[in-house]
Amino acid sequence: MKTATTGHPTAARRKGRGAVAHLLLALIALVLIAASLYAVRTLSLFVSPMLFLAAVFLEVVFIAVLVYALIRALARPSALLRSLGASAWGGLESNEYVVRFRTSGSPWARWLRNRFRTDASTGIWLTATVVVAAIPFGNFLGLAATVITHGPFTQVDQRIANLLPLVRTPGETSFFTAATMLANAQTLILVTVLAAVLLWWRRRRFLAATVVATAVGQEMLYFLVKQIVHRARPDSSLALVIDTTPSFPSGHVMRTTVAYGVIAYLLFKAFRSTPAKAATVAGWLLAVLLVAMSRVYLGVHWATDVWGSMLLGSAALAAVIGALEIAARFPVIRGRRRTVAPGRILAVVPAVGVAFALVAAPLLLHPQARPAQPGTQALPSLDQSSLSRLPVYSETLTGEHMEPASFILVGTQEQLVHTFESRGWDEADRSTLANTLRAFAVGFQGGQYPTAPVTPSFMASQPEAIAFQKATAANTLRQRHHIRIWRSGYTAPDGRPVWEATASFDDGIEFAGAAKVPTHHIDPNIDAERSYITGSLGYPDNLIAFTHPQMGHNGSGDEFFTDGRAELLTLR
């Protein structure tokens, strides 16, 4: 009796500590949600595709952690919550509308009451499963409609796909090749068979059948959707791996979300400690993130393909987990309840899958860049009428207009590079992950990075082909002259390419927008920068009317004004 008496306060203290720990976790998740929102906004300006996708995905993860932590925190002081719940329910029971609903004999009222029963398999558990699965499925249908009708998101897809060949590195290619191998058919078969064998050996035959059925079912589901939508994949010149099947949704991401998600769920149920459960969920989410990013990085899928797969896969996974939870609580299959405790030996499965992917990736996958062969059109002349065929405005990732072109350059790429470098201009590095992070660090420290990458911009959905910059007397990355140059897709009468360019002067660092994103502040007088560049190259003015006098905003919200003219320079 003494032991039992002294045990109650100890148990209460443990529950109290558990509630505090989960509330602390919820607070941390809230801070991380704010940080990832900030990162999403920042990376949407700097157009770093891999970091942007990672930030969006982590935002979803942190929201899920917040919800989970709040539920667990509230579940800890169970006696208090039950008392409060009982009091609240007692008050509701006496409400005339609640009484009328509970005693109503109409068919719809009986049906609705049955949806909230706790003692039937078709009650609250089925209702919760349908609701949870319906949310991502509804979002998936909306995204699928956008893809089918070529909505605005598909233009973002194209810009990301066009940018990726310019930011890939050999190290990242090897990394994402191994990541995509995690969800190749060979790995899926190995993981599924191994999980089924271990579950069968542990006499969990129902779970073994569930794992196999889930893997087969998700394959059939995404194949059916692919045939219905029948979306073309990105052009082969943008891809490192060729796949000719329809693109939407991504089968690899579906496999990671659904088939691996079920295994992660079973491991979550097998482990007792909170750290082990958290590690299981984190490992699964990381696998989904890496596979999704790898499919976009390798150029075999559009960004909306992988997002659609996550939505559809989440709906399917919610349905499977809901069915398993119902089967564990109610004798719905052959009059028996089905356990969902497979044993911790199942942890061998993901370890084997990762090891196989690392070994098999260099043997089975051989990513290879394929140079694009852009088509060109010849201009009959370089007068205003012919030049009106050229694109006019630079664009953000989402297609919003920014500055109009302030230069039209005629010459080969070799002439272009020689013209600028001979006058003390530096060609900007590519906007790879490493270069972008280095530019962030140097800029905050006030140092100099002469060949720092410029924030990618687009024209006619294409990223700039080349960029140059020149330091000021301050000799710091915070201040620089720079010019972005695009291939126009046209050639001059003499056969040389015609290029378009925008010019601007970074006069310092600012914290732009409501999110206070750190970025360069642009001098609004872009015509003055146009004149500076022309003079620095040693060319006389040759201004032509290209658009009209106007004011506007660039991607970070800075204002600009221009007389609408462009310098037409024939390079020597």
Side-chain angles (χ1 to χ4, degrees):
M1 290 297 292
K2 289 181 180 179
T3 303
T5 301
T6 57
H8 289 300
T10 303
R13 283 194 296 271
R14 286 177 180 172
K15 289 184 177 181
R17 287 196 297 268
V20 171
H22 282 94
L23 284 174
L24 180 60
L25 178 61
L27 179 61
I28 294 172
L30 193 61
V31 172
L32 292 174
I33 287 171
S36 55
L37 274 172
Y38 182 77
V40 167
R41 176 58 181 155
T42 300
L43 294 169
S44 69
L45 291 180
F46 287 98
V47 197
S48 179
M50 294 297 101
L51 287 177
F52 177 76
L53 290 174
V56 171
F57 187 79
L58 288 175
E59 176 73 8
V60 177
V61 171
F62 295 145
I63 291 174
V65 171
L66 174 64
V67 173
Y68 169 78
L70 288 175
I71 291 174
R72 293 292 296 172
L74 294 174
R76 287 290 179 175
S78 56
L80 174 61
L81 288 178
R82 287 173 185 170
S83 176
L84 292 174
S87 298
W89 181 246
L92 283 174
E93 281 186 318
S94 61
N95 184 277
E96 61 174 309
Y97 297 103
V98 175
V99 171
R100 188 183 307 168
F101 172 75
R102 293 182 64 192
T103 57
S104 173
S106 65
W108 73 268
R110 287 199 304 270
W111 180 88
L112 190 58
R113 287 198 300 269
N114 288 336
R115 300 290 72 76
F116 290 90
R117 291 178 59 182
T118 59
D119 60 347
S121 61
T122 56
I124 187 65
W125 282 96
L126 180 59
T127 302
T129 298
V130 171
V131 170
V132 172
I135 294 173
F137 185 68
N139 287 316
F140 167 77
L141 292 178
L143 182 62
T146 298
V147 168
I148 292 172
T149 58
H150 304 288
F153 281 149
T154 60
Q155 298 304 311
V156 177
D157 278 339
Q158 186 64 64
R159 292 185 183 92
I160 291 176
N162 290 339
L163 176 62
L164 280 170
L166 304 179
V167 300
R168 293 179 179 129
T169 65
E172 290 174 356
T173 298
S174 298
F175 176 81
F176 284 116
T177 301
T180 211
M181 190 67 207
L182 285 171
N184 259 31
Q186 298 93 328
T187 312
L188 175 70
I189 292 171
L190 173 65
V191 167
T192 302
V193 170
L194 179 59
V197 168
L198 290 175
L199 290 168
W200 195 275
W201 175 65
R202 294 282 297 177
R203 299 184 183 277
R204 299 292 187 263
R205 296 178 180 178
F206 171 72
L207 295 181
T210 299
V211 168
V212 174
T214 300
V216 174
Q218 62 86 27
E219 292 285 315
M220 297 172 63
L221 177 60
Y222 83 72
F223 178 80
L224 176 63
V225 176
K226 278 179 180 287
Q227 301 309 311
I228 293 173
V229 178
H230 212 77
R231 185 186 195 185
R233 292 184 183 262
D235 188 87
S236 60
S237 64
L238 304 174
L240 296 177
V241 178
I242 300 300
D243 194 327
T244 57
T245 61
S247 184
F248 183 88
S250 165
H252 282 66
V253 178
M254 277 285 288
R255 291 167 182 164
T256 317
T257 305
V258 183
Y260 294 174
V262 169
I263 295 175
Y265 161 76
L266 294 177
L267 278 172
F268 183 89
K269 301 292 286 190
F271 290 123
R272 293 183 179 180
S273 69
T274 299
K277 289 177 179 289
T280 299
V281 175
W284 169 67
L285 290 173
L286 180 62
V288 174
L289 170 64
L290 292 179
V291 171
M293 292 174 65
S294 73
R295 303 308 287 168
V296 178
Y297 178 91
L298 295 174
V300 287
H301 278 291
W302 309 101
T304 47
D305 292 345
V306 302
W307 183 241
S309 297
M310 290 181 189
L311 292 172
L312 182 59
S314 296
L317 181 62
V320 173
I321 291 176
L324 288 173
E325 289 291 335
I326 291 171
R329 286 168 170 79
F330 303 97
V332 292
I333 302 175
R334 296 182 182 178
R336 292 171 49 195
R337 296 182 182 180
R338 304 289 173 164
T339 180
V340 288
R344 286 172 287 182
I345 192 174
L346 200 62
V348 172
V349 174
V352 171
V354 170
F356 176 78
L358 292 174
V359 173
L363 300 176
L364 300 179
L365 299 177
H366 306 285
Q368 180 180 356
R370 296 162 181 80
Q373 300 295 331
T376 59
Q377 301 180 52
L379 294 174
S381 65
L382 294 177
D383 59 19
Q384 187 173 350
S385 175
S386 295
L387 294 175
S388 65
R389 305 179 190 181
L390 273 58
V392 175
Y393 292 97
S394 59
E395 306 161 342
T396 65
L397 180 64
T398 55
E400 298 171 355
H401 281 179
M402 298 193 294
E403 305 96 325
S406 51
F407 283 89
I408 297 172
L409 308 165
V410 179
T412 64
Q413 184 164 344
E414 291 76 14
Q415 289 175 320
L416 192 67
V417 172
H418 173 73
T419 297
F420 279 89
E421 290 187 343
S422 64
R423 292 288 180 162
W425 289 75
D426 294 302
E427 183 178 344
D429 291 340
R430 295 182 301 153
S431 297
T432 62
L433 174 59
N435 291 340
T436 301
L437 294 177
R438 179 186 172 189
F440 268 116
V442 172
F444 276 117
Q445 294 169 5
Q448 179 59 289
Y449 178 3
T451 60
V454 299
T455 303
S457 294
F458 300 85
M459 185 174 285
S461 296
Q462 294 291 335
E464 68 271 2
I466 192 169
F468 295 95
Q469 55 197 344
K470 192 171 188 179
T472 66
N475 196 32
T476 172
L477 182 57
R478 296 182 178 182
Q479 198 176 81
R480 61 180 176 177
H481 302 276
H482 66 282
I483 181 170
R484 296 177 177 86
I485 305 174
W486 287 266
R487 295 182 177 89
S488 70
Y490 290 89
T491 58
D494 63 4
R496 292 189 296 169
V498 175
W499 309 74
E500 293 183 84
T502 61
S504 54
F505 175 58
D506 295 340
D507 59 8
I509 297 292
E510 67 174 350
F511 291 87
K516 301 303 179 186
V517 175
T519 184
H520 280 106
H521 177 266
I522 306 299
D523 187 319
N525 189 357
I526 59 175
D527 292 346
E529 184 68 3
R530 180 186 66 198
S531 298
Y532 170 82
I533 292 175
T534 303
S536 76
L537 296 179
Y539 282 81
D541 280 334
N542 185 23
L543 291 167
I544 63 169
F546 191 56
T547 177
H548 56 83
Q550 59 190 283
M551 299 178 65
H553 295 83
N554 63 16
S556 60
D558 291 333
E559 293 183 343
F560 69 83
F561 59 87
T562 176
D563 59 14
R565 296 186 294 175
E567 289 278 7
L568 175 58
L569 303 181
T570 301
L571 303 179
R572 298 186 289 268

Short mmCIF file of all heavy atoms in Angstrom, two decimals, residues 537-565:
data_model
loop_
_atom_site.label_atom_id
_atom_site.label_comp_id
_atom_site.label_asym_id
_atom_site.label_seq_id
_atom_site.Cartn_x
_atom_site.Cartn_y
_atom_site.Cartn_z
N LEU A 537 32.50 50.08 -71.49
CA LEU A 537 32.89 49.17 -72.56
C LEU A 537 33.54 49.92 -73.73
O LEU A 537 34.06 49.29 -74.67
CB LEU A 537 31.67 48.39 -73.07
CG LEU A 537 31.00 47.45 -72.07
CD1 LEU A 537 29.80 46.76 -72.72
CD2 LEU A 537 31.98 46.40 -71.53
N GLY A 538 33.49 51.24 -73.69
CA GLY A 538 34.12 52.02 -74.73
C GLY A 538 33.30 52.15 -75.99
O GLY A 538 33.86 52.40 -77.08
N TYR A 539 31.98 52.01 -75.90
CA TYR A 539 31.11 52.12 -77.06
C TYR A 539 30.34 53.44 -77.00
O TYR A 539 29.96 53.91 -75.92
CB TYR A 539 30.10 50.97 -77.10
CG TYR A 539 30.66 49.66 -77.60
CD1 TYR A 539 31.39 48.83 -76.76
CD2 TYR A 539 30.48 49.26 -78.92
CE1 TYR A 539 31.91 47.63 -77.21
CE2 TYR A 539 30.99 48.06 -79.39
CZ TYR A 539 31.71 47.25 -78.54
OH TYR A 539 32.23 46.06 -78.99
N PRO A 540 30.07 54.05 -78.15
CA PRO A 540 29.23 55.25 -78.16
C PRO A 540 27.76 54.86 -77.96
O PRO A 540 27.37 53.72 -78.22
CB PRO A 540 29.46 55.83 -79.56
CG PRO A 540 29.79 54.64 -80.40
CD PRO A 540 30.56 53.70 -79.51
N ASP A 541 26.97 55.82 -77.51
CA ASP A 541 25.54 55.55 -77.34
C ASP A 541 24.88 55.23 -78.68
O ASP A 541 25.16 55.88 -79.70
CB ASP A 541 24.83 56.77 -76.72
CG ASP A 541 25.04 56.84 -75.22
OD1 ASP A 541 25.26 55.77 -74.60
OD2 ASP A 541 24.98 57.95 -74.66
N ASN A 542 24.02 54.25 -78.67
CA ASN A 542 23.20 53.91 -79.84
C ASN A 542 21.84 53.47 -79.33
O ASN A 542 21.47 52.30 -79.39
CB ASN A 542 23.87 52.81 -80.67
CG ASN A 542 23.11 52.52 -81.96
OD1 ASN A 542 22.36 53.37 -82.46
ND2 ASN A 542 23.29 51.32 -82.50
N LEU A 543 21.10 54.42 -78.80
CA LEU A 543 19.84 54.13 -78.13
C LEU A 543 18.71 54.00 -79.14
O LEU A 543 18.60 54.80 -80.09
CB LEU A 543 19.50 55.23 -77.12
CG LEU A 543 20.43 55.30 -75.89
CD1 LEU A 543 20.22 56.60 -75.14
CD2 LEU A 543 20.15 54.10 -74.97
N ILE A 544 17.86 52.98 -78.92
CA ILE A 544 16.66 52.78 -79.76
C ILE A 544 15.46 52.67 -78.84
O ILE A 544 15.57 52.26 -77.68
CB ILE A 544 16.78 51.52 -80.63
CG1 ILE A 544 16.87 50.26 -79.73
CG2 ILE A 544 17.97 51.60 -81.58
CD1 ILE A 544 16.71 48.96 -80.50
N ALA A 545 14.31 53.05 -79.34
CA ALA A 545 13.07 52.90 -78.56
C ALA A 545 12.69 51.42 -78.56
O ALA A 545 12.45 50.83 -79.62
CB ALA A 545 11.96 53.74 -79.19
N PHE A 546 12.64 50.83 -77.38
CA PHE A 546 12.35 49.39 -77.28
C PHE A 546 11.01 49.14 -76.60
O PHE A 546 10.28 48.23 -76.96
CB PHE A 546 13.48 48.70 -76.51
CG PHE A 546 13.43 47.20 -76.58
CD1 PHE A 546 13.42 46.56 -77.81
CD2 PHE A 546 13.39 46.44 -75.44
CE1 PHE A 546 13.37 45.17 -77.88
CE2 PHE A 546 13.35 45.06 -75.49
CZ PHE A 546 13.34 44.42 -76.72
N THR A 547 10.70 49.93 -75.60
CA THR A 547 9.37 49.84 -74.96
C THR A 547 8.92 51.27 -74.71
O THR A 547 9.07 52.12 -75.59
CB THR A 547 9.44 48.99 -73.67
OG1 THR A 547 8.16 48.98 -73.05
CG2 THR A 547 10.47 49.47 -72.70
N HIS A 548 8.39 51.59 -73.55
CA HIS A 548 7.89 52.94 -73.28
C HIS A 548 8.37 53.37 -71.91
O HIS A 548 8.73 52.54 -71.07
CB HIS A 548 6.36 52.96 -73.33
CG HIS A 548 5.72 51.97 -72.41
ND1 HIS A 548 5.50 52.21 -71.07
CD2 HIS A 548 5.27 50.70 -72.63
CE1 HIS A 548 4.94 51.15 -70.52
NE2 HIS A 548 4.79 50.22 -71.43
N PRO A 549 8.41 54.69 -71.64
CA PRO A 549 8.80 55.14 -70.30
C PRO A 549 7.88 54.55 -69.24
O PRO A 549 6.66 54.52 -69.42
CB PRO A 549 8.64 56.67 -70.39
CG PRO A 549 8.75 56.98 -71.84
CD PRO A 549 8.14 55.81 -72.56
N GLN A 550 8.47 54.07 -68.15
CA GLN A 550 7.66 53.39 -67.15
C GLN A 550 8.39 53.30 -65.82
O GLN A 550 9.60 53.51 -65.73
CB GLN A 550 7.31 51.98 -67.61
CG GLN A 550 8.52 51.10 -67.90
CD GLN A 550 8.15 49.79 -68.57
OE1 GLN A 550 7.67 48.88 -67.92
NE2 GLN A 550 8.38 49.74 -69.90
N MET A 551 7.60 52.99 -64.80
CA MET A 551 8.11 52.67 -63.48
C MET A 551 7.65 51.27 -63.13
O MET A 551 6.66 50.77 -63.67
CB MET A 551 7.61 53.67 -62.43
CG MET A 551 8.04 55.11 -62.69
SD MET A 551 7.36 56.24 -61.45
CE MET A 551 8.20 55.64 -59.96
N GLY A 552 8.39 50.60 -62.24
CA GLY A 552 8.01 49.25 -61.86
C GLY A 552 8.78 48.79 -60.64
O GLY A 552 9.43 49.59 -59.95
N HIS A 553 8.70 47.49 -60.37
CA HIS A 553 9.39 46.90 -59.22
C HIS A 553 10.12 45.65 -59.69
O HIS A 553 9.66 44.91 -60.57
CB HIS A 553 8.39 46.52 -58.12
CG HIS A 553 7.68 47.69 -57.51
ND1 HIS A 553 6.57 48.25 -58.09
CD2 HIS A 553 7.95 48.40 -56.38
CE1 HIS A 553 6.16 49.27 -57.34
NE2 HIS A 553 6.97 49.38 -56.31
N ASN A 554 11.27 45.40 -59.07
CA ASN A 554 11.98 44.15 -59.35
C ASN A 554 11.49 43.05 -58.41
O ASN A 554 10.53 43.25 -57.64
CB ASN A 554 13.49 44.34 -59.27
CG ASN A 554 13.95 44.75 -57.87
OD1 ASN A 554 13.23 44.61 -56.89
ND2 ASN A 554 15.17 45.24 -57.78
N GLY A 555 12.14 41.90 -58.43
CA GLY A 555 11.67 40.77 -57.66
C GLY A 555 11.67 40.98 -56.16
O GLY A 555 10.84 40.41 -55.44
N SER A 556 12.58 41.80 -55.65
CA SER A 556 12.63 42.05 -54.20
C SER A 556 11.80 43.24 -53.78
O SER A 556 11.79 43.61 -52.61
CB SER A 556 14.09 42.24 -53.76
OG SER A 556 14.67 43.34 -54.43
N GLY A 557 11.10 43.87 -54.75
CA GLY A 557 10.21 44.97 -54.41
C GLY A 557 10.80 46.35 -54.60
O GLY A 557 10.12 47.36 -54.39
N ASP A 558 12.09 46.45 -55.00
CA ASP A 558 12.71 47.76 -55.22
C ASP A 558 12.12 48.42 -56.47
O ASP A 558 11.89 47.75 -57.49
CB ASP A 558 14.22 47.63 -55.39
CG ASP A 558 14.91 47.21 -54.10
OD1 ASP A 558 14.37 47.52 -53.03
OD2 ASP A 558 15.98 46.58 -54.18
N GLU A 559 11.91 49.71 -56.40
CA GLU A 559 11.38 50.44 -57.54
C GLU A 559 12.46 50.71 -58.59
O GLU A 559 13.65 50.76 -58.27
CB GLU A 559 10.78 51.78 -57.08
CG GLU A 559 9.54 51.63 -56.20
CD GLU A 559 8.95 52.97 -55.83
OE1 GLU A 559 9.66 54.00 -55.97
OE2 GLU A 559 7.78 53.00 -55.41
N PHE A 560 12.02 50.87 -59.84
CA PHE A 560 12.92 51.30 -60.90
C PHE A 560 12.14 52.22 -61.84
O PHE A 560 10.91 52.19 -61.88
CB PHE A 560 13.51 50.12 -61.67
CG PHE A 560 12.51 49.37 -62.53
CD1 PHE A 560 12.18 49.83 -63.80
CD2 PHE A 560 11.90 48.22 -62.06
CE1 PHE A 560 11.25 49.15 -64.59
CE2 PHE A 560 10.97 47.54 -62.84
CZ PHE A 560 10.65 48.00 -64.10
N PHE A 561 12.87 53.03 -62.58
CA PHE A 561 12.24 53.84 -63.63
C PHE A 561 13.16 53.86 -64.84
O PHE A 561 14.39 53.73 -64.71
CB PHE A 561 11.92 55.26 -63.15
CG PHE A 561 13.10 56.05 -62.69
CD1 PHE A 561 13.88 56.78 -63.59
CD2 PHE A 561 13.44 56.09 -61.34
CE1 PHE A 561 14.97 57.53 -63.15
CE2 PHE A 561 14.52 56.83 -60.90
CZ PHE A 561 15.29 57.55 -61.81
N THR A 562 12.57 53.98 -66.02
CA THR A 562 13.35 53.94 -67.26
C THR A 562 12.63 54.72 -68.34
O THR A 562 11.39 54.88 -68.30
CB THR A 562 13.55 52.49 -67.72
OG1 THR A 562 14.24 52.49 -68.98
CG2 THR A 562 12.24 51.75 -67.89
N ASP A 563 13.41 55.21 -69.32
CA ASP A 563 12.80 55.91 -70.46
C ASP A 563 12.35 54.93 -71.54
O ASP A 563 11.81 55.34 -72.58
CB ASP A 563 13.78 56.94 -71.04
CG ASP A 563 15.09 56.30 -71.52
OD1 ASP A 563 15.16 55.07 -71.65
OD2 ASP A 563 16.06 57.06 -71.77
N GLY A 564 12.58 53.62 -71.32
CA GLY A 564 12.09 52.60 -72.26
C GLY A 564 13.00 52.36 -73.45
O GLY A 564 12.64 51.60 -74.35
N ARG A 565 14.19 52.98 -73.45
CA ARG A 565 15.10 52.77 -74.57
C ARG A 565 16.14 51.69 -74.24
O ARG A 565 16.37 51.38 -73.07
CB ARG A 565 15.79 54.07 -74.94
CG ARG A 565 14.83 55.14 -75.46
CD ARG A 565 15.57 56.37 -75.96
NE ARG A 565 16.25 57.07 -74.86
CZ ARG A 565 17.06 58.12 -75.04
NH1 ARG A 565 17.29 58.57 -76.29
NH2 ARG A 565 17.63 58.70 -74.01
#
